[in-house]
Amino acid sequence: MKLAITTIDAFTSKAFSGNPAAICLVDQELSVVQMQSIAMEMNLSETAFVKRNVETDSFSLRWFTPTVEIDLCGHATLASAFVMEKSGWAKSGETIRFQTRSGDLLVKSDGEWIEMDFPLISTFEKEHPFFGNDFFGTKITRTAKLKGNWIFELEDADAVETCEPDFALVKNHSEEGIIITAPGKNSFDIYSRYFGPNIGIDEDPVTGFAHCALMDYWYKGSGKSNLKAFQASKRGGEIHLEKREDRVIIRGQAVKVLSGEIEF
């Protein structure tokens, strides 16, 4: 069996930055074992599979890390919409409806930017039982909890950039992973990084789902409903956020870097 596959760098306009995702547009059902095996072979933070649902005028979308299927992924959703438009599965400016494990997600392109309507992820302040006030030599000023993950606010953007975590300790003391964040610098409102060793990703380059929680976290702290965010991984990525009641509008760009076939 041969399957077309495309690699997209998401949340960036430059190749070799942002977050890479492998995208497969499929006309026939693949098994979970097949999808997980392809994701393991691609060895990117996410591989996404899009299947057309003719009866409902929608598309099913599933995301896999190299080790597990996950409930929500921003950058691979953005990349999927980008590939669909370029391949003729969708038209520029029209709304794409994705059916996912996190409910229906609406996505549309707006010129060079792609806009995604995602659920706001609720956070609540809670002290971490292990890290307390220190995260690998960096002071933690505030902590919050969300399903499967933690948010640690550090003193400033430089602390986020220079943090060097021990991934074994992060793995042992989190369910999925840990988001670190701080007020931004330059033109950005916030900085962040995401470490997810328990889902097969020591550090995710740019993380859409984390920003669904960061929007809630920073809105509760500052009251700002629009944020320009930078994820300060080595690859780096820019995300624009807007809170609309219990939803988050996430805007980003994407660029194609590779296309081919996978045979199995």
Side-chain angles (χ1 to χ4, degrees):
M1 181 177 179
K2 294 182 179 180
L3 183 66
I5 194 161
T6 307
T7 300
I8 302 296
D9 285 345
F11 293 123
T12 183
S13 59
K14 300 183 299 181
F16 316 127
S17 59
N19 200 351
I23 309 301
C24 296
L25 307 183
V26 298
D27 290 312
Q28 63 191 79
E29 202 73 45
L30 297 177
S31 70
V32 171
V33 170
Q34 287 173 322
M35 290 187 284
Q36 187 65 73
S37 296
I38 293 169
M40 182 175 62
E41 184 72 17
M42 297 307 295
N43 199 33
L44 299 174
S45 57
E46 259 79 33
T47 298
F49 298 87
V50 182
K51 186 176 182 299
R52 196 194 317 260
N53 303 317
V54 178
E55 299 83 2
T56 58
D57 193 32
S58 64
F59 301 87
S60 64
L61 174 60
R62 299 175 74 170
W63 311 279
F64 290 79
T65 77
T67 59
V68 296
E69 183 175 7
I70 61 171
D71 292 336
L72 185 63
C73 176
H75 85 278
T77 302
L78 187 150
S80 296
F82 182 88
V83 172
M84 290 171 68
E85 182 180 326
K86 299 301 181 184
S87 64
W89 275 41
K91 296 179 181 178
S92 179
E94 78 174 4
T95 298
I96 302 169
R97 182 181 296 275
F98 287 121
Q99 295 175 334
T100 78
R101 288 169 59 155
S102 292
D104 284 3
L105 304 177
L106 303 180
V107 182
K108 65 179 180 180
S109 64
D110 180 15
E112 295 182 355
W113 292 78
I114 294 173
E115 178 179 294
M116 304 184 293
D117 184 338
F118 271 39
L120 185 72
I121 296 177
S122 181
T123 64
F124 58 93
E125 290 198 30
K126 184 177 181 178
E127 184 176 345
H128 192 277
F130 178 78
F131 287 107
N133 296 319
D134 180 86
F135 190 65
F136 303 107
T138 302
K139 182 180 178 182
I140 299 172
T141 61
R142 191 158 58 114
T143 59
K145 187 76 173 65
L146 59 142
K147 181 183 177 182
N149 291 272
W150 291 83
I151 295 175
F152 295 167
E153 183 179 342
L154 307 185
E155 288 187 293
D156 53 38
D158 291 337
V160 171
E161 285 185 299
T162 59
C163 180
E164 296 184 4
D166 180 327
F167 295 118
L169 282 177
V170 172
K171 185 173 185 176
N172 289 336
H173 298 285
S174 64
E175 300 93 323
E176 293 180 4
I178 292 173
I179 304 162
I180 59 172
T181 189
K185 62 181 181 180
N186 302 322
S187 63
F188 293 98
D189 296 300
I190 63 170
Y191 265 44
S192 71
R193 289 169 68 190
Y194 176 62
F195 312 116
N198 285 306
I199 57 171
I201 311 163
D202 281 347
E203 179 168 5
D204 194 34
V206 195
T207 316
F209 110 84
H211 284 83
C212 295
L214 287 168
M215 181 74 257
D216 181 72
Y217 176 84
W218 284 104
Y219 176 78
K220 288 175 177 175
S222 68
K224 293 184 67 172
S225 57
N226 287 271
L227 296 172
K228 186 178 177 183
F230 182 73
Q231 191 153 333
S233 65
K234 289 182 179 180
R235 293 177 63 97
E238 179 177 335
I239 302 178
H240 295 183
L241 306 169
E242 179 184 350
K243 182 182 180 296
R244 295 182 185 172
E245 297 182 349
D246 63 347
R247 307 292 294 180
V248 184
I249 305 302
I250 302 176
R251 298 182 180 91
Q253 296 177 287
V255 60
K256 176 181 173 180
V257 293
L258 182 69
S259 61
E261 284 185 337
I262 189 164
E263 187 170 348
F264 58 100

